[in-house]
Amino acid sequence: MASGPQRESRLLRWLTLVLIIVGELTTLSYAMSAPMALRSLNPSTGAWWDAHQFYFMEAAATALGLLIGIRIGRRFVVGARRRSRMLILAMILAIIGFVPLLHICAASARLGWSAGDGSTWSRIVDLAGFAAAKQLDKVLIASVYFLKIVGFALLAGLALIAVAVVPSSMMEEARTGSAG
Amino acid sequence: MVILFVHVSAVIIALGASLFSTFALMPVLADELDPPERLRVGRRVIRRLGAIVLTALAILVFTGILNVLLIGAVSQLLAAKLVLVVIVIALALYQHANLGARIWALSAQGPNAAIVPLQERFRRIGFTVGLLVLLIVYLSLGITRAGGVTAAMMVR
């Protein structure tokens, strides 16, 4: 039977994998206009997915970034029990702050990057031809947006672990006092 | 304005606390107190310092993301700054949640030879964090200056 830390690591790995899959699927669905195909099969489901896929993509990216940040930060904490306590606290904070973080990270990711997107477009047209380039460009834009949200949420995840360390160490200090 | 004020205050607190403990408090403790006393005071200072620095860094991240929204553009300078912030938080976590916690646990029974190298590493990491925060402040000045120039050009 797996021990506590092993179970935690396995759960975190599974969660990360699920979020990557959901993120990839929703990003591709959004970029390749999948709801149009879905509408021809089932109009109501297609309409519902068309209205919500973008939020699913943003939510998956934010959750993935937070989780990666928490997993990176957790590695720096010494001691299995302390690490487990901080993980739980950081996860609770992440759940509480998820909705505001989702909006803030998504809004930050929508800000323009001061690089030459025109030259990227021409390069894609050169490589794939105009018709395919139109589709590829949409995939690229959606993927970059997804990754930018993950990046901002990763920072927030690291900050959440930093926040989680504080009460834990203060409690330890209060419990053991100066004598240790 | 309030967000920027909190952001700058958090930088001052994080940097000030690190520099004060590295260059003022710890050397004075080493000169003035006997080893057992020094250890008892030092371990509590490390704990409190960790709480202050990590809280300030977390506030920095959240107000920083809000500031990005207010600046309204993502530049290469900002991207470099964000990468440095990730490194700083990782180092600060290693310093306080790993080295600090080990020093705390080892020093519970009084002086111990294993504590000295940990304290040395703790100081080195703290110094590196301080330098990186200074670099981040420099990059931030570059970002705000560039933002000012862009705004001025737009007005013209």
Side-chain angles (χ1 to χ4, degrees):
Chain A
M1 205 169 153
S3 66
Q6 278 175 327
R7 260 204 313 270
E8 264 172 28
S9 300
R10 202 181 304 157
L11 178 71
L12 288 177
R13 264 203 306 273
W14 271 107
L15 262 176
T16 311
L17 190 67
V18 167
L19 287 171
I20 288 173
I21 292 168
V22 172
E24 284 300 314
L25 286 177
T26 46
T27 306
L28 283 177
S29 163
Y30 175 72
M32 302 183 88
S33 311
M36 300 303 275
L38 198 59
R39 268 177 198 241
S40 63
L41 296 171
N42 187 330
S44 60
T45 312
W48 182 86
W49 183 239
D50 198 14
H52 294 90
Q53 61 175 348
F54 195 69
Y55 300 113
F56 270 89
M57 182 176 89
E58 287 180 335
T62 308
L64 181 64
L66 283 171
L67 196 62
I68 294 173
I70 289 171
R71 283 185 71 179
I72 293 172
R74 181 175 166 266
R75 284 175 184 270
F76 295 107
V77 179
V78 73
R81 273 188 63 197
R82 192 181 286 124
R83 198 179 289 170
S84 176
R85 224 171 29 225
M86 278 161 206
L87 173 70
I88 292 167
L89 191 53
M91 286 298 223
I92 291 170
L93 290 172
I95 290 166
I96 293 169
F98 183 72
V99 174
L101 278 173
L102 164 65
H103 290 297
I104 291 168
C105 292
S108 306
R110 276 196 291 274
L111 296 175
W113 181 274
S114 54
D117 49 347
S119 64
T120 315
W121 164 244
S122 346
R123 237 173 278 156
I124 297 172
V125 173
D126 281 349
L127 284 170
F130 187 77
K134 256 177 88 175
Q135 206 60 55
L136 281 174
D137 191 47
K138 276 181 79 178
V139 174
L140 183 73
I141 290 169
S143 305
V144 169
Y145 179 58
F146 182 84
L147 289 176
K148 278 166 83 178
I149 297 177
V150 170
F152 281 111
L154 186 149
L155 264 174
L158 271 173
L160 287 180
I161 274 281
V163 171
V165 168
V166 176
S168 174
S169 61
M170 295 307 276
M171 269 181 338
E172 228 172 46
E173 189 184 343
R175 201 172 50 236
T176 53
S178 61
Chain B
M1 190 72 178
V2 176
I3 294 167
L4 191 62
F5 172 75
V6 175
H7 190 69
V8 174
S9 304
V11 177
I12 294 168
I13 291 168
L15 194 60
S18 286
L19 294 181
F20 172 73
S21 97
T22 309
F23 294 111
L25 187 65
M26 291 303 180
V28 172
L29 286 183
D31 287 344
E32 299 293 331
L33 296 179
D34 296 329
E37 288 261 289
R38 190 195 313 157
L39 193 64
R40 221 176 52 233
V41 177
R43 72 197 291 262
R44 296 199 69 183
V45 168
I46 283 173
R47 264 287 139 106
R48 295 287 163 95
L49 182 72
I52 292 167
V53 170
L54 290 175
T55 307
L57 285 178
I59 291 170
L60 262 178
V61 168
F62 292 120
T63 51
I65 294 175
L66 289 173
N67 270 330
V68 170
L69 277 177
L70 295 176
I71 290 171
V74 177
S75 61
Q76 285 173 354
L77 219 54
L78 182 66
K81 184 185 161 181
L82 294 178
V83 170
L84 281 178
V85 171
V86 170
I87 295 170
V88 162
I89 296 181
L91 281 175
L93 275 170
Y94 174 66
Q95 186 191 15
H96 295 286
N98 191 311
L99 295 176
R102 276 155 71 189
I103 292 170
W104 174 265
L106 281 172
S107 58
Q109 311 302 327
N112 183 332
I115 295 171
V116 179
L118 285 177
Q119 281 176 327
E120 185 48 44
R121 207 183 307 166
F122 186 92
R123 261 193 297 274
R124 271 208 309 271
I125 300 278
F127 188 66
T128 312
V129 167
L131 283 180
L132 286 175
V133 171
L134 278 177
L135 185 58
I136 289 170
V137 170
Y138 184 76
L139 288 179
S140 305
L141 289 176
I143 292 165
T144 46
R145 286 279 172 97
V149 170
T150 313
M153 282 166 73
M154 281 167 75
V155 169
R156 264 182 233 161

